[in-house]
Amino acid sequence: MFANFVQKWNAFKADFEEYKKLRRIASIAKRNLLELRGKITVFISMDEKISRKRCIQSKLLEVPRRDVCDTVLEPAGAHYVQCEHYCPNFRAVKDKENAQPCTDTACPCYAANKAYAEAAVQYTDAVKKRRAFWNKNNTNVKQM
């Protein structure tokens, strides 16, 4: 009985090490994706006109305070909201599963956009493998 417990414990430890490896791979893929997203994003101040061409244009907008409650709860400074505008050729969805490279080869961000689309695919694959690991593994453990 004790040998059976030790065998199951060792199998669980090996599975957990493999899961930690998958989790680390997904974390690295996400970090790489965010770094590449930064290369295709331009931050624009409130008064600046859009002069730099990038796939994603991020802008902070000041939202006026409407009632007394807002000023009591957040008295210091203004309230800002971030808005993002996407290039018409940019083909990425928020879930990142359908990210495709840009079709405009003349765009100065074409190479960065292509790298971003590849990183998005790698990230989605890594997350799917990580999420599916325990489901696959639990069926193997139950058969022991």
Side-chain angles (χ1 to χ4, degrees):
M1 182 173 141
F2 184 72
N4 189 18
F5 175 75
V6 170
Q7 181 183 10
K8 286 185 179 183
W9 176 253
N10 289 336
F12 175 76
K13 279 185 3 183
D15 290 341
F16 189 67
E17 288 299 320
E18 186 177 346
Y19 174 75
K20 285 195 315 188
K21 180 182 172 186
L22 290 173
R23 191 175 64 185
R24 203 173 323 116
I25 290 171
S27 174
I28 291 169
K30 183 176 183 177
R31 202 172 325 130
N32 186 27
L33 181 68
L34 292 175
E35 179 183 324
L36 290 171
R37 184 179 175 92
K39 290 183 179 180
I40 61 173
T41 303
V42 63
F43 293 98
I44 302 169
S45 66
M46 290 184 295
D47 300 331
E48 184 180 350
K49 301 289 184 211
I50 300 172
S51 59
R52 296 171 282 177
K53 183 170 173 51
R54 295 283 174 92
C55 301
I56 304 169
Q57 298 162 352
S58 185
K59 188 174 192 175
L60 288 177
L61 299 175
E62 185 176 356
V63 178
R65 301 206 183 270
R66 288 178 279 184
D67 53 357
V68 177
C69 184
D70 285 344
T71 57
V72 170
L73 296 176
E74 297 178 23
H79 184 68
Y80 293 99
V81 176
Q82 181 179 2
C83 295
E84 290 184 341
H85 298 282
Y86 298 96
C87 173
N89 297 326
F90 186 66
R91 298 179 178 198
V93 186
K94 285 186 179 181
D95 62 2
K96 299 173 188 66
E97 290 186 17
N98 299 324
Q100 298 173 355
C102 182
T103 55
D104 184 14
T105 56
C107 178
C109 297
Y110 176 74
N113 188 307
K114 187 175 178 181
Y116 175 78
E118 291 171 0
V121 169
Q122 290 175 354
Y123 172 67
T124 347
D125 290 344
V127 168
K128 284 180 182 177
K129 285 179 185 177
R130 182 190 54 133
R131 288 181 179 164
F133 178 76
W134 286 116
N135 292 336
K136 172 191 68 110
N137 205 17
N138 282 339
T139 57
N140 293 339
V141 171
K142 289 177 186 176
Q143 293 173 357
M144 285 182 136

